[in-house]
Amino acid sequence: MKQWVSWMFSLEMSSTMKLVLTFIFSGTLTVCGGNTTNSLLPRLLLVSFDGFRADYLHNYEFPHLQKFIEEGVLVEQIENVFITKTFPNHYSIVTGLYEESHGIVANAMYDAATKKYFSEHNDKESFWWNEATPIWVTNELQANRTSAAAMWPGTDVKIHNTTPSYFMNYSSSVTFDERLGNITHWLTSSDPPVTFATLYWEEPDASGHKYGPEGTEQMRAVLKEVDNHVGNLVQKLKALGLWESLNVIITSDHGMAQCSQDRLINLDTCISRGNYTLVDSTPVAAILPKGNKTYVYNLLKNCSLNMKVYLKEDIPKRFHYQHNDRIQPIILVADEGWTIVQNDSLKKLGDHGYDNTLPSMHPFLAAHGPAFHRGYRQRSINTVDIYPMMCHILGLKPQPSNGTFGNTKCLLADQWCINLPEAIGIVIGVLLLLTTLTCLMIIMKNKMGSPRPFSRLQLQDDDDDPLIG
């Protein structure tokens, strides 16, 4: 009887532990994988409105965008990568890499090995982009899939000898409606089907530079226009029967800070231009010394209390901005709202590029479609987290990246997600359950196996003989 109770106790505890462990760790498993049959390939449209600062959502009215958000998900703030410029952050979104890893380290760069310069108007040579593999290239290399792009940075360049099957050469004169029309045409008529597409628009960045984010009336007008573009996008997708089947992400590359003529850092008062080349300008200036690096650094480091001066090897590790040959020997980082000039006047009232921890630099992310929950909000993710999420949605094997898929799991309909307070509550509840079961089992074991009360030993008659000495 004792052995039977002990065996039952052991079996019960083993089963309970298995059940509890399965319950606790089931959240790390995918509920269902992406469908990869050609007829049901998941599809994704990635849209960027350049320079859409996260808190614009609170400070202005967006009826179309808010409707989009209510039916999908919202990430209120995205911490982008340093430096917070257009080309670097757009490439981080589609590669999941920090700038030092993907090689597009600024809007203007110098490559010492080739002695070539990169700019927004001179960006077509492949070697600048080949240090990473953007998602549209990965998608193109999958069986029977194609990509399309309307002017996302890098999509009109052969990267690893590959472009999207359908793309537009960049021109700022092409209207949003023309770009949208091309994208939706490719989404509905291509064979094999376009499964990944990108759409880029220059606003509200252009107006943010011109008026600054505090130019309320001017920014209200341009943001109303942006919201109308969102409305046109949704209406077009509905008319073409794509709204319920297509996953759509709307996001941005960076925010915008207010600048002022009263907040200028004049390099000409500190150092002669003959001592250095200014590779990239404000608010993160890349300095290539022409002579002694230490001499140039010493002249610059005391130039302004509102500017940090770093030797490349001393750039803070949190910036992830050291390990690439295109990062120049000296980097100047202006404080928020300050502008680095060479004896110039202020040319724009708004700028970006500053420290990526500043809320003014943060964009947002909204998403809608079968891959996403409805009506869910999340406080923050990192820009590099978007890439592994997009690969998951498309069923692509991601390239190595700096992003973390777990940071976006709560946005996705096919993922089991639990927040920290709920997790703590479940663990405490499970521990209480285990303690209760253990106590019950111990009580049962003791009750079943306890000895009978003592009774006087009854001797047989032949046992009464005296002991033999």
Side-chain angles (χ1 to χ4, degrees):
M1 187 66 174
K2 290 181 182 179
Q3 290 179 341
W4 180 84
V5 171
S6 177
W7 177 79
M8 285 296 292
F9 176 78
S10 175
L11 179 64
E12 183 67 26
M13 288 302 295
S14 176
S15 300
T16 302
M17 286 301 297
K18 286 179 181 178
L19 179 63
V20 168
L21 290 173
T22 300
F23 176 73
I24 291 173
F25 293 108
S26 63
T28 64
L29 303 177
T30 300
V31 175
C32 57
N35 194 321
T36 56
T37 61
N38 288 338
S39 60
L40 294 174
L41 283 173
R43 308 172 84 191
L44 175 63
L45 171 60
L46 173 65
V47 182
S48 172
F49 290 104
D50 197 327
F52 198 125
R53 178 170 153 163
D55 63 4
Y56 287 161
L57 285 174
H58 302 289
N59 299 332
Y60 298 90
E61 294 182 358
F62 296 93
H64 297 297
L65 182 53
Q66 290 295 354
K67 177 69 171 174
F68 181 94
I69 290 168
E70 287 167 9
E71 297 179 357
V73 298
L74 172 66
V75 180
E76 295 174 353
Q77 289 194 26
I78 295 179
E79 183 166 307
N80 42 1
V81 294
F82 181 84
I83 59 177
T84 51
K85 292 277 192 170
T86 296
F87 272 69
N89 270 273
H90 275 102
Y91 213 42
S92 288
I93 291 171
V94 295
T95 63
L97 295 170
Y98 299 126
E99 294 165 22
E100 66 179 6
S101 298
H102 64 55
I104 305 299
V105 301
N107 284 353
M109 299 183 287
Y110 173 70
D111 185 79
T114 61
K115 295 182 170 51
K116 291 184 176 181
Y117 286 88
F118 174 101
S119 72
E120 297 175 47
H121 308 291
N122 181 30
D123 63 344
K124 295 295 188 292
E125 291 192 81
S126 298
F127 82 93
W128 293 108
W129 304 87
N130 279 342
E131 292 186 14
T133 303
I135 190 170
W136 61 79
V137 172
T138 301
N139 192 59
E140 286 284 333
L141 299 178
Q142 295 282 317
N144 209 33
R145 298 185 188 209
T146 59
S147 305
M151 302 188 185
W152 189 282
T155 52
D156 54 356
V157 181
K158 277 196 171 184
I159 300 175
H160 300 297
N161 207 35
T162 303
T163 62
S165 293
Y166 310 93
F167 67 93
M168 305 173 69
N169 287 308
Y170 182 75
S171 172
S172 60
S173 64
V174 180
T175 67
F176 181 87
D177 287 342
E178 289 180 78
R179 301 180 195 193
L180 175 60
N182 280 340
I183 285 294
T184 52
H185 172 70
W186 292 328
L187 283 167
T188 53
S189 64
S190 61
D191 185 21
V194 167
T195 53
F196 176 74
T198 62
L199 173 60
Y200 167 80
W201 185 239
E202 291 84 357
E203 291 284 16
D205 180 74
S207 296
H209 282 301
K210 186 175 181 179
Y211 305 112
E214 295 175 11
T216 307
E217 291 307 311
Q218 296 91 341
M219 291 309 298
R220 179 176 286 111
V222 74
L223 290 169
K224 184 177 187 298
E225 196 173 279
V226 168
D227 188 61
N228 287 337
H229 290 329
V230 175
N232 291 341
L233 167 66
V234 173
Q235 184 180 18
K236 189 92 169 177
L237 295 179
K238 287 181 177 178
L240 295 170
L242 293 171
W243 178 243
E244 296 300 332
S245 61
L246 180 67
N247 297 293
V248 181
I249 294 173
I250 298 176
T251 189
S252 184
D253 50 349
H254 54 71
M256 189 70 67
Q258 188 73 27
C259 299
S260 167
Q261 185 68 39
D262 299 326
R263 296 195 294 268
L264 297 182
I265 301 165
N266 187 352
L267 297 183
D268 283 359
T269 62
C270 308
I271 185 172
S272 168
R273 298 188 191 186
N275 288 312
Y276 70 98
T277 298
L278 187 64
V279 175
D280 192 27
S281 59
T282 191
V284 176
I287 303 294
L288 178 60
K290 290 184 177 180
N292 185 284
K293 179 177 71 173
T294 303
Y295 172 74
V296 173
Y297 169 76
N298 286 333
L299 288 175
L300 288 168
K301 72 177 182 179
N302 297 316
C303 187
S304 172
L305 295 175
N306 301 108
M307 179 180 74
K308 298 176 180 63
V309 181
Y310 299 109
L311 292 171
K312 179 178 178 177
E313 57 269 26
D314 297 329
I315 295 172
K317 294 188 184 303
R318 67 182 178 86
F319 287 150
H320 303 284
Y321 199 74
Q322 275 188 331
H323 307 294
N324 196 288
D325 291 340
R326 296 170 190 168
I327 299 170
Q328 298 307 312
I330 299 173
I331 298 294
L332 316 180
V333 183
D335 290 347
E336 183 178 17
W338 286 77
T339 303
I340 300 170
V341 298
Q342 292 178 304
N343 200 30
D344 297 323
S345 60
L346 185 69
K347 295 179 180 178
K348 46 194 176 184
L349 288 175
D351 209 355
H352 53 86
Y354 301 98
D355 189 323
N356 61 320
T357 61
L358 293 170
S360 63
M361 292 298 100
H362 294 170
F364 76 104
L365 180 144
H368 176 279
F372 297 99
H373 285 297
R374 293 176 65 92
Y376 179 82
R377 287 180 177 244
Q378 184 166 316
R379 178 61 180 163
S380 66
I381 61 172
N382 301 310
T383 286
V384 292
D385 297 331
I386 299 172
Y387 170 79
M389 177 181 71
M390 294 192 299
C391 288
H392 173 81
I393 291 169
L394 293 171
L396 298 175
K397 182 180 179 181
Q399 296 290 318
S401 78
N402 301 117
T404 302
F405 175 62
N407 291 344
T408 61
K409 286 176 69 172
C410 291
L411 306 176
L412 300 171
D414 72 350
Q415 294 295 298
W416 189 83
C417 171
I418 187 167
N419 58 39
L420 184 60
E422 289 174 342
I424 293 172
I426 288 175
V427 170
I428 291 173
V430 168
L431 290 174
L432 288 173
L433 177 62
L434 280 174
T435 303
T436 303
L437 289 172
T438 302
C439 292
L440 287 173
M441 292 299 176
I442 292 171
I443 291 170
M444 287 177 62
K445 182 178 180 181
N446 289 337
K447 186 175 181 180
M448 297 293 291
S450 59
R452 295 178 181 178
F454 174 78
S455 60
R456 182 178 179 84
L457 181 64
Q458 301 296 318
L459 297 177
Q460 300 294 327
D461 290 342
D462 56 359
D463 289 334
D464 288 333
D465 294 337
L467 293 175
I468 299 174

